[in-house]
Amino acid sequence: VELRVTVDNSNSLQQRVMENRLDLALVEGVSPWDKLETIPFLTDELVVLCPADDPAAEQGVITLEQLSQARLLLREEGSGTREIVDREAGRAGISLEPVWEAASSVSAVRAGLGLTILPERLAREEVRQGRVRRLAVEGVRFPRNLSVVYHEHKFLSPSAQYLIGLCQKLGQQEL
């Protein structure tokens, strides 16, 4: 069995599955492609992180308006994380304009370059060790669903089916 891993944003991964360049993909959210089968396997939440010495860290809460005025370090457009953040902010009529767009920004937050929004599981150890602080956003949550997607006409090998099963088991565990 040969396993090849590609890291990219959800839109790009789903496009590759549609083009049969990937057998399946692990993505955030539900696929907008009608021809992709979607198997949800994990629900978690995105959280706002700030430097440990940021004044907002003492309060532990920030408004969406304050978040929109902060130096934001966010995922790039097309990523599932960014879509969730933009959707929730948009519901409140707020537009978030990042000063930094990258796949991972926790080290930039530790360095004091701004605030970011990342999966809670990814941030958990950084928060536990006090390197960054978690901020609640008043009246707003950023829930995230992870799914396996594959083309509806794709033959799934036993290995692919096994990987899907592992994802589903992961979703049943509390990490």
Side-chain angles (χ1 to χ4, degrees):
V1 173
E2 181 182 329
L3 177 66
R4 196 171 326 161
V5 176
T6 301
V7 178
D8 207 338
N9 66 54
S10 294
N11 286 344
S12 295
L13 292 171
Q14 290 174 89
Q15 180 67 41
R16 289 181 189 162
V17 171
M18 286 295 297
E19 295 167 351
N20 202 32
R21 293 173 34 214
L22 291 176
D23 292 333
L24 54 83
L26 308 181
V27 300
E28 295 166 302
V30 176
S31 175
W33 300 85
D34 292 341
K35 301 242 181 246
L36 292 184
E37 296 290 333
T38 302
I39 302 173
F41 69 90
L42 182 71
T43 299
D44 68 0
E45 188 160 351
L46 302 174
V47 296
V48 176
L49 302 175
C50 70
D53 60 353
D54 190 288
E58 291 303 315
Q59 296 172 352
V61 66
I62 189 171
T63 67
L64 202 49
E65 180 64 35
Q66 289 170 317
L67 187 64
S68 73
Q69 301 302 313
R71 292 182 50 84
L72 292 175
L73 319 172
L74 297 178
R75 287 289 312 267
E76 74 284 358
E77 287 188 21
S79 75
T81 295
R82 180 67 177 272
E83 288 177 14
I84 292 165
V85 170
D86 287 346
R87 180 185 64 235
E88 295 304 319
R91 286 182 180 165
I94 301 286
S95 176
L96 300 178
E97 300 295 330
V99 297
W100 171 306
E101 291 182 319
S104 179
S105 51
V106 73
S107 59
V109 171
R110 279 196 319 253
L113 298 180
L115 280 60
T116 194
I117 302 174
L118 293 174
E120 188 276 332
R121 283 181 167 87
L122 182 64
R124 190 177 292 163
E125 186 62 18
E126 295 285 333
V127 171
R128 189 185 71 72
Q129 292 189 12
R131 294 190 287 244
V132 297
R133 299 281 296 271
R134 180 177 170 175
L135 297 176
V137 180
E138 196 174 281
V140 179
R141 293 185 61 232
F142 300 102
R144 177 179 83 138
N145 298 306
L146 298 178
S147 301
V148 176
V149 296
Y150 61 90
H151 195 280
E152 66 183 359
H153 298 302
K154 181 72 175 178
F155 169 77
L156 292 177
S157 68
S159 298
Q161 292 176 27
Y162 181 74
L163 179 60
I164 292 170
L166 286 177
C167 290
Q168 291 172 314
K169 283 183 184 176
L170 173 69
Q172 296 169 357
Q173 298 174 356
E174 180 58 38
L175 300 178

